Amino acid sequence: MIISLMILFFITFILSVVFYFAERSAQADVFESWWSCIIWAATRYIDGGDGVFEGAPVTIVGRIVAFMLGIIGIAIVAIPAGLIGSGFMDAIADEKRDNELNGYKENLEMAFRGQADVNFREYLKQHPDLCKLETGKSGYYLPAYIPLPKLLIRYGMDFRDVFDTVTKYPQFRIANLAAMHSLEENPDDRLILTHQYINAPYGCFINRGSKITIVSTSSVLETLTGWFAHTLSMVGGFNLISKEVEPNIGDFDSYAAMEDTIKVFGYTKEELLKEKSKNASKLKLYAQKEENRKAFMSHLTSVCQGEDSWLIFINTSIKSSTNTLDFHFTESGKAMVIEANAENYKSMVQSIAEMLNDEFGYVAALSDRYPLGKNCPARKIGENAVFNAFKINVGAPVLLDPRKIITIHKLAQSINNALGGSGMTAYDAHYLTTRHYGLRDYTPNA
């Protein structure tokens, strides 16, 4: 609209000048000045000039200009009407699409309804000490993912519908299970949909009042890591901090190795401000990244409450011929464990490694392959903060194993036994007794 009006005023001005030079010699008493010609031209758009301006062109050039102004007068009505009509049609289409996507969102939430794990229930019969059926702690669990073809067939959606829904609602994410295998295996693409719980700018923060906090810095990138961290924290009664949101996935802001300076597509804020108008969208992205980081670090700091508080960083690693461990625990020298807790930490890792090997055949050990690096957010909390921190890198095959629910329950139990955790909360125990529909009504902080 603005552009069309600007063009209109420009053309009217040019034609008024041409009209003035053509008519002033023939009708000097009527069109005595350039301003009177502009007034005359403007009246052509109002009512043809009747009763507003007396006079008509007598020269050929003047009449041609009058004809052109008449054509423009038609365009004055037609162009805005077309633009407004097109805008209404777009708005109606957008509203219709929003309603469709909202319906698709509800369908996707329904697809993630709680499921009972037969293997887990059979396992409980042999290990009743893990958790008892009558307490509800073994009831349902939230699916790790839904195969995309299954969704397309069940709900009559096409890939574009799923993509648009995922774009609008960040609690859903399309992923590829092939990314969880080494290229040595030459894996086939298997598209899936995952479902996250999001209640913070950067993703998810749940404070269950535990001395143990599960921290996932790369859930937005790593397939199923967020689900593993969420489920482990739920059944263990641990706090949870998980990065599930990235303002622009193509310009990923790493929290696993959090650089001191935020950059947007390689530029610092100072560099972007040199051309502020040109970089308006990049500066907006910078502000979002800055807000997310502040919220993440604030929540991380809030759970570090003394010598008996623990941050357990969770990442996924791809197994290969050069990386054969199923679980990497941070080497003692590269973990952030208070000296008084060092032996307890080593003992915990040893007992967990034995349990994982005896129960599931997994190989776990202390490893320096995935240390808490110098840019780990735990090292940026502050010199006066007192807490412990270490990392567990979980092999991707563990997350694809049908026994993963059992593994998570056993791992949570072992961590609680070693670090003095209080176990599953009453809220989560109750939540897992009912077949809820995804995470749409999950409010552990309420």
PDB file of all heavy atoms in Angstrom, residues 405-433:
ATOM      1  N   ILE A 405      13.863 -48.650  29.177  1.00  0.00           N
ATOM      2  CA  ILE A 405      13.113 -48.229  30.356  1.00  0.00           C
ATOM      3  C   ILE A 405      13.670 -48.910  31.612  1.00  0.00           C
ATOM      4  O   ILE A 405      13.839 -48.285  32.663  1.00  0.00           O
ATOM      5  CB  ILE A 405      11.614 -48.546  30.195  1.00  0.00           C
ATOM      6  CG1 ILE A 405      11.034 -47.727  29.045  1.00  0.00           C
ATOM      7  CG2 ILE A 405      10.852 -48.252  31.481  1.00  0.00           C
ATOM      8  CD1 ILE A 405      11.080 -46.240  29.261  1.00  0.00           C
ATOM      9  N   ILE A 406      13.979 -50.182  31.486  1.00  0.00           N
ATOM     10  CA  ILE A 406      14.568 -50.903  32.620  1.00  0.00           C
ATOM     11  C   ILE A 406      15.923 -50.301  32.966  1.00  0.00           C
ATOM     12  O   ILE A 406      16.247 -50.093  34.142  1.00  0.00           O
ATOM     13  CB  ILE A 406      14.732 -52.404  32.279  1.00  0.00           C
ATOM     14  CG1 ILE A 406      13.403 -52.995  31.804  1.00  0.00           C
ATOM     15  CG2 ILE A 406      15.258 -53.176  33.477  1.00  0.00           C
ATOM     16  CD1 ILE A 406      13.509 -54.403  31.270  1.00  0.00           C
ATOM     17  N   THR A 407      16.715 -50.012  31.944  1.00  0.00           N
ATOM     18  CA  THR A 407      18.040 -49.416  32.167  1.00  0.00           C
ATOM     19  C   THR A 407      17.930 -48.100  32.913  1.00  0.00           C
ATOM     20  O   THR A 407      18.684 -47.835  33.863  1.00  0.00           O
ATOM     21  CB  THR A 407      18.748 -49.186  30.813  1.00  0.00           C
ATOM     22  OG1 THR A 407      18.824 -50.409  30.094  1.00  0.00           O
ATOM     23  CG2 THR A 407      20.151 -48.644  31.028  1.00  0.00           C
ATOM     24  N   ILE A 408      16.989 -47.274  32.509  1.00  0.00           N
ATOM     25  CA  ILE A 408      16.817 -45.964  33.151  1.00  0.00           C
ATOM     26  C   ILE A 408      16.415 -46.133  34.615  1.00  0.00           C
ATOM     27  O   ILE A 408      16.947 -45.448  35.500  1.00  0.00           O
ATOM     28  CB  ILE A 408      15.773 -45.130  32.378  1.00  0.00           C
ATOM     29  CG1 ILE A 408      16.362 -44.682  31.031  1.00  0.00           C
ATOM     30  CG2 ILE A 408      15.324 -43.916  33.189  1.00  0.00           C
ATOM     31  CD1 ILE A 408      15.372 -43.982  30.124  1.00  0.00           C
ATOM     32  N   HIS A 409      15.483 -47.025  34.893  1.00  0.00           N
ATOM     33  CA  HIS A 409      15.060 -47.253  36.278  1.00  0.00           C
ATOM     34  C   HIS A 409      16.218 -47.756  37.140  1.00  0.00           C
ATOM     35  O   HIS A 409      16.417 -47.298  38.271  1.00  0.00           O
ATOM     36  CB  HIS A 409      13.896 -48.252  36.315  1.00  0.00           C
ATOM     37  CG  HIS A 409      12.556 -47.611  36.143  1.00  0.00           C
ATOM     38  ND1 HIS A 409      11.753 -47.251  37.204  1.00  0.00           N
ATOM     39  CD2 HIS A 409      11.879 -47.253  35.022  1.00  0.00           C
ATOM     40  CE1 HIS A 409      10.637 -46.716  36.749  1.00  0.00           C
ATOM     41  NE2 HIS A 409      10.688 -46.709  35.431  1.00  0.00           N
ATOM     42  N   LYS A 410      17.000 -48.683  36.612  1.00  0.00           N
ATOM     43  CA  LYS A 410      18.132 -49.215  37.375  1.00  0.00           C
ATOM     44  C   LYS A 410      19.209 -48.155  37.571  1.00  0.00           C
ATOM     45  O   LYS A 410      19.804 -48.057  38.650  1.00  0.00           O
ATOM     46  CB  LYS A 410      18.719 -50.435  36.650  1.00  0.00           C
ATOM     47  CG  LYS A 410      17.849 -51.670  36.689  1.00  0.00           C
ATOM     48  CD  LYS A 410      17.733 -52.234  38.089  1.00  0.00           C
ATOM     49  CE  LYS A 410      19.032 -52.814  38.602  1.00  0.00           C
ATOM     50  NZ  LYS A 410      18.880 -53.472  39.928  1.00  0.00           N
ATOM     51  N   LEU A 411      19.451 -47.363  36.543  1.00  0.00           N
ATOM     52  CA  LEU A 411      20.451 -46.306  36.651  1.00  0.00           C
ATOM     53  C   LEU A 411      20.013 -45.258  37.678  1.00  0.00           C
ATOM     54  O   LEU A 411      20.819 -44.806  38.504  1.00  0.00           O
ATOM     55  CB  LEU A 411      20.667 -45.648  35.286  1.00  0.00           C
ATOM     56  CG  LEU A 411      21.741 -44.558  35.198  1.00  0.00           C
ATOM     57  CD1 LEU A 411      23.111 -45.114  35.585  1.00  0.00           C
ATOM     58  CD2 LEU A 411      21.790 -43.967  33.782  1.00  0.00           C
ATOM     59  N   ALA A 412      18.734 -44.874  37.651  1.00  0.00           N
ATOM     60  CA  ALA A 412      18.210 -43.899  38.615  1.00  0.00           C
ATOM     61  C   ALA A 412      18.319 -44.440  40.033  1.00  0.00           C
ATOM     62  O   ALA A 412      18.695 -43.713  40.965  1.00  0.00           O
ATOM     63  CB  ALA A 412      16.757 -43.566  38.279  1.00  0.00           C
ATOM     64  N   GLN A 413      17.992 -45.720  40.217  1.00  0.00           N
ATOM     65  CA  GLN A 413      18.086 -46.330  41.541  1.00  0.00           C
ATOM     66  C   GLN A 413      19.528 -46.332  42.041  1.00  0.00           C
ATOM     67  O   GLN A 413      19.794 -46.005  43.201  1.00  0.00           O
ATOM     68  CB  GLN A 413      17.550 -47.751  41.488  1.00  0.00           C
ATOM     69  CG  GLN A 413      17.531 -48.459  42.848  1.00  0.00           C
ATOM     70  CD  GLN A 413      17.147 -49.920  42.710  1.00  0.00           C
ATOM     71  OE1 GLN A 413      17.701 -50.620  41.865  1.00  0.00           O
ATOM     72  NE2 GLN A 413      16.202 -50.367  43.523  1.00  0.00           N
ATOM     73  N   SER A 414      20.472 -46.662  41.167  1.00  0.00           N
ATOM     74  CA  SER A 414      21.881 -46.710  41.557  1.00  0.00           C
ATOM     75  C   SER A 414      22.405 -45.326  41.931  1.00  0.00           C
ATOM     76  O   SER A 414      23.153 -45.164  42.902  1.00  0.00           O
ATOM     77  CB  SER A 414      22.726 -47.289  40.411  1.00  0.00           C
ATOM     78  OG  SER A 414      22.350 -48.612  40.130  1.00  0.00           O
ATOM     79  N   ILE A 415      22.003 -44.306  41.176  1.00  0.00           N
ATOM     80  CA  ILE A 415      22.438 -42.937  41.478  1.00  0.00           C
ATOM     81  C   ILE A 415      21.870 -42.489  42.813  1.00  0.00           C
ATOM     82  O   ILE A 415      22.570 -41.879  43.640  1.00  0.00           O
ATOM     83  CB  ILE A 415      22.005 -41.982  40.341  1.00  0.00           C
ATOM     84  CG1 ILE A 415      22.794 -42.290  39.067  1.00  0.00           C
ATOM     85  CG2 ILE A 415      22.222 -40.531  40.747  1.00  0.00           C
ATOM     86  CD1 ILE A 415      22.327 -41.521  37.851  1.00  0.00           C
ATOM     87  N   ASN A 416      20.596 -42.771  43.051  1.00  0.00           N
ATOM     88  CA  ASN A 416      19.985 -42.403  44.333  1.00  0.00           C
ATOM     89  C   ASN A 416      20.670 -43.103  45.502  1.00  0.00           C
ATOM     90  O   ASN A 416      20.939 -42.494  46.541  1.00  0.00           O
ATOM     91  CB  ASN A 416      18.495 -42.739  44.326  1.00  0.00           C
ATOM     92  CG  ASN A 416      17.642 -41.631  43.739  1.00  0.00           C
ATOM     93  OD1 ASN A 416      17.884 -40.458  43.995  1.00  0.00           O
ATOM     94  ND2 ASN A 416      16.650 -41.997  42.947  1.00  0.00           N
ATOM     95  N   ASN A 417      20.967 -44.387  45.340  1.00  0.00           N
ATOM     96  CA  ASN A 417      21.627 -45.135  46.413  1.00  0.00           C
ATOM     97  C   ASN A 417      23.009 -44.574  46.717  1.00  0.00           C
ATOM     98  O   ASN A 417      23.421 -44.496  47.875  1.00  0.00           O
ATOM     99  CB  ASN A 417      21.734 -46.616  46.034  1.00  0.00           C
ATOM    100  CG  ASN A 417      20.382 -47.315  46.005  1.00  0.00           C
ATOM    101  OD1 ASN A 417      19.418 -46.823  46.592  1.00  0.00           O
ATOM    102  ND2 ASN A 417      20.312 -48.442  45.330  1.00  0.00           N
ATOM    103  N   ALA A 418      23.726 -44.174  45.674  1.00  0.00           N
ATOM    104  CA  ALA A 418      25.098 -43.704  45.855  1.00  0.00           C
ATOM    105  C   ALA A 418      25.168 -42.266  46.363  1.00  0.00           C
ATOM    106  O   ALA A 418      26.023 -41.923  47.182  1.00  0.00           O
ATOM    107  CB  ALA A 418      25.864 -43.825  44.544  1.00  0.00           C
ATOM    108  N   LEU A 419      24.261 -41.409  45.880  1.00  0.00           N
ATOM    109  CA  LEU A 419      24.351 -39.980  46.187  1.00  0.00           C
ATOM    110  C   LEU A 419      23.301 -39.520  47.191  1.00  0.00           C
ATOM    111  O   LEU A 419      23.231 -38.326  47.501  1.00  0.00           O
ATOM    112  CB  LEU A 419      24.224 -39.166  44.898  1.00  0.00           C
ATOM    113  CG  LEU A 419      25.243 -39.490  43.800  1.00  0.00           C
ATOM    114  CD1 LEU A 419      25.040 -38.573  42.600  1.00  0.00           C
ATOM    115  CD2 LEU A 419      26.664 -39.374  44.332  1.00  0.00           C
ATOM    116  N   GLY A 420      22.484 -40.413  47.671  1.00  0.00           N
ATOM    117  CA  GLY A 420      21.516 -40.050  48.699  1.00  0.00           C
ATOM    118  C   GLY A 420      20.304 -39.314  48.185  1.00  0.00           C
ATOM    119  O   GLY A 420      19.725 -38.482  48.895  1.00  0.00           O
ATOM    120  N   GLY A 421      19.890 -39.602  46.948  1.00  0.00           N
ATOM    121  CA  GLY A 421      18.692 -38.979  46.410  1.00  0.00           C
ATOM    122  C   GLY A 421      17.440 -39.522  47.067  1.00  0.00           C
ATOM    123  O   GLY A 421      17.431 -40.621  47.632  1.00  0.00           O
ATOM    124  N   SER A 422      16.345 -38.786  46.977  1.00  0.00           N
ATOM    125  CA  SER A 422      15.104 -39.156  47.676  1.00  0.00           C
ATOM    126  C   SER A 422      14.172 -40.007  46.827  1.00  0.00           C
ATOM    127  O   SER A 422      13.177 -40.524  47.323  1.00  0.00           O
ATOM    128  CB  SER A 422      14.360 -37.894  48.123  1.00  0.00           C
ATOM    129  OG  SER A 422      14.129 -37.027  47.024  1.00  0.00           O
ATOM    130  N   GLY A 423      14.451 -40.170  45.533  1.00  0.00           N
ATOM    131  CA  GLY A 423      13.618 -41.023  44.684  1.00  0.00           C
ATOM    132  C   GLY A 423      12.465 -40.277  44.048  1.00  0.00           C
ATOM    133  O   GLY A 423      12.299 -39.068  44.206  1.00  0.00           O
ATOM    134  N   MET A 424      11.654 -41.019  43.320  1.00  0.00           N
ATOM    135  CA  MET A 424      10.543 -40.447  42.563  1.00  0.00           C
ATOM    136  C   MET A 424       9.580 -39.657  43.445  1.00  0.00           C
ATOM    137  O   MET A 424       9.264 -40.078  44.557  1.00  0.00           O
ATOM    138  CB  MET A 424       9.787 -41.559  41.833  1.00  0.00           C
ATOM    139  CG  MET A 424       8.680 -41.055  40.919  1.00  0.00           C
ATOM    140  SD  MET A 424       7.727 -42.402  40.163  1.00  0.00           S
ATOM    141  CE  MET A 424       8.938 -43.036  39.020  1.00  0.00           C
ATOM    142  N   THR A 425       9.126 -38.525  42.931  1.00  0.00           N
ATOM    143  CA  THR A 425       8.174 -37.703  43.680  1.00  0.00           C
ATOM    144  C   THR A 425       6.778 -38.308  43.606  1.00  0.00           C
ATOM    145  O   THR A 425       6.471 -39.112  42.714  1.00  0.00           O
ATOM    146  CB  THR A 425       8.117 -36.275  43.108  1.00  0.00           C
ATOM    147  OG1 THR A 425       7.571 -36.325  41.774  1.00  0.00           O
ATOM    148  CG2 THR A 425       9.500 -35.646  43.057  1.00  0.00           C
ATOM    149  N   ALA A 426       5.926 -37.906  44.536  1.00  0.00           N
ATOM    150  CA  ALA A 426       4.550 -38.405  44.560  1.00  0.00           C
ATOM    151  C   ALA A 426       3.811 -37.982  43.290  1.00  0.00           C
ATOM    152  O   ALA A 426       2.983 -38.733  42.759  1.00  0.00           O
ATOM    153  CB  ALA A 426       3.825 -37.874  45.792  1.00  0.00           C
ATOM    154  N   TYR A 427       4.119 -36.777  42.800  1.00  0.00           N
ATOM    155  CA  TYR A 427       3.448 -36.288  41.589  1.00  0.00           C
ATOM    156  C   TYR A 427       3.764 -37.197  40.406  1.00  0.00           C
ATOM    157  O   TYR A 427       2.868 -37.633  39.681  1.00  0.00           O
ATOM    158  CB  TYR A 427       3.876 -34.859  41.260  1.00  0.00           C
ATOM    159  CG  TYR A 427       3.310 -34.362  39.949  1.00  0.00           C
ATOM    160  CD1 TYR A 427       2.048 -33.773  39.887  1.00  0.00           C
ATOM    161  CD2 TYR A 427       4.017 -34.516  38.758  1.00  0.00           C
ATOM    162  CE1 TYR A 427       1.511 -33.345  38.674  1.00  0.00           C
ATOM    163  CE2 TYR A 427       3.491 -34.099  37.544  1.00  0.00           C
ATOM    164  CZ  TYR A 427       2.240 -33.506  37.517  1.00  0.00           C
ATOM    165  OH  TYR A 427       1.711 -33.105  36.312  1.00  0.00           O
ATOM    166  N   ASP A 428       5.050 -37.487  40.195  1.00  0.00           N
ATOM    167  CA  ASP A 428       5.440 -38.307  39.053  1.00  0.00           C
ATOM    168  C   ASP A 428       4.949 -39.741  39.208  1.00  0.00           C
ATOM    169  O   ASP A 428       4.571 -40.385  38.230  1.00  0.00           O
ATOM    170  CB  ASP A 428       6.961 -38.281  38.872  1.00  0.00           C
ATOM    171  CG  ASP A 428       7.454 -36.947  38.351  1.00  0.00           C
ATOM    172  OD1 ASP A 428       6.901 -36.469  37.352  1.00  0.00           O
ATOM    173  OD2 ASP A 428       8.388 -36.373  38.939  1.00  0.00           O
ATOM    174  N   ALA A 429       4.959 -40.255  40.426  1.00  0.00           N
ATOM    175  CA  ALA A 429       4.447 -41.604  40.654  1.00  0.00           C
ATOM    176  C   ALA A 429       2.975 -41.676  40.285  1.00  0.00           C
ATOM    177  O   ALA A 429       2.511 -42.631  39.653  1.00  0.00           O
ATOM    178  CB  ALA A 429       4.647 -42.010  42.116  1.00  0.00           C
ATOM    179  N   HIS A 430       2.208 -40.636  40.652  1.00  0.00           N
ATOM    180  CA  HIS A 430       0.790 -40.598  40.312  1.00  0.00           C
ATOM    181  C   HIS A 430       0.606 -40.430  38.805  1.00  0.00           C
ATOM    182  O   HIS A 430      -0.268 -41.063  38.194  1.00  0.00           O
ATOM    183  CB  HIS A 430       0.099 -39.445  41.043  1.00  0.00           C
ATOM    184  CG  HIS A 430      -1.339 -39.259  40.651  1.00  0.00           C
ATOM    185  ND1 HIS A 430      -2.335 -40.133  41.020  1.00  0.00           N
ATOM    186  CD2 HIS A 430      -1.939 -38.306  39.891  1.00  0.00           C
ATOM    187  CE1 HIS A 430      -3.492 -39.726  40.518  1.00  0.00           C
ATOM    188  NE2 HIS A 430      -3.272 -38.618  39.829  1.00  0.00           N
ATOM    189  N   TYR A 431       1.440 -39.583  38.196  1.00  0.00           N
ATOM    190  CA  TYR A 431       1.311 -39.316  36.757  1.00  0.00           C
ATOM    191  C   TYR A 431       1.513 -40.597  35.952  1.00  0.00           C
ATOM    192  O   TYR A 431       0.819 -40.835  34.959  1.00  0.00           O
ATOM    193  CB  TYR A 431       2.337 -38.271  36.337  1.00  0.00           C
ATOM    194  CG  TYR A 431       2.187 -37.822  34.910  1.00  0.00           C
ATOM    195  CD1 TYR A 431       1.263 -36.831  34.560  1.00  0.00           C
ATOM    196  CD2 TYR A 431       2.955 -38.371  33.894  1.00  0.00           C
ATOM    197  CE1 TYR A 431       1.111 -36.411  33.251  1.00  0.00           C
ATOM    198  CE2 TYR A 431       2.812 -37.963  32.576  1.00  0.00           C
ATOM    199  CZ  TYR A 431       1.889 -36.979  32.264  1.00  0.00           C
ATOM    200  OH  TYR A 431       1.743 -36.572  30.959  1.00  0.00           O
ATOM    201  N   LEU A 432       2.449 -41.426  36.388  1.00  0.00           N
ATOM    202  CA  LEU A 432       2.759 -42.644  35.640  1.00  0.00           C
ATOM    203  C   LEU A 432       1.797 -43.794  35.930  1.00  0.00           C
ATOM    204  O   LEU A 432       1.980 -44.901  35.425  1.00  0.00           O
ATOM    205  CB  LEU A 432       4.202 -43.086  35.932  1.00  0.00           C
ATOM    206  CG  LEU A 432       5.280 -42.148  35.387  1.00  0.00           C
ATOM    207  CD1 LEU A 432       6.653 -42.628  35.786  1.00  0.00           C
ATOM    208  CD2 LEU A 432       5.179 -42.033  33.872  1.00  0.00           C
ATOM    209  N   THR A 433       0.769 -43.551  36.754  1.00  0.00           N
ATOM    210  CA  THR A 433      -0.243 -44.602  36.980  1.00  0.00           C
ATOM    211  C   THR A 433      -1.400 -44.471  36.007  1.00  0.00           C
ATOM    212  O   THR A 433      -2.238 -45.361  35.913  1.00  0.00           O
ATOM    213  CB  THR A 433      -0.813 -44.521  38.410  1.00  0.00           C
ATOM    214  OG1 THR A 433      -1.460 -43.253  38.577  1.00  0.00           O
ATOM    215  CG2 THR A 433       0.285 -44.685  39.435  1.00  0.00           C
TER     216      THR A 433
END
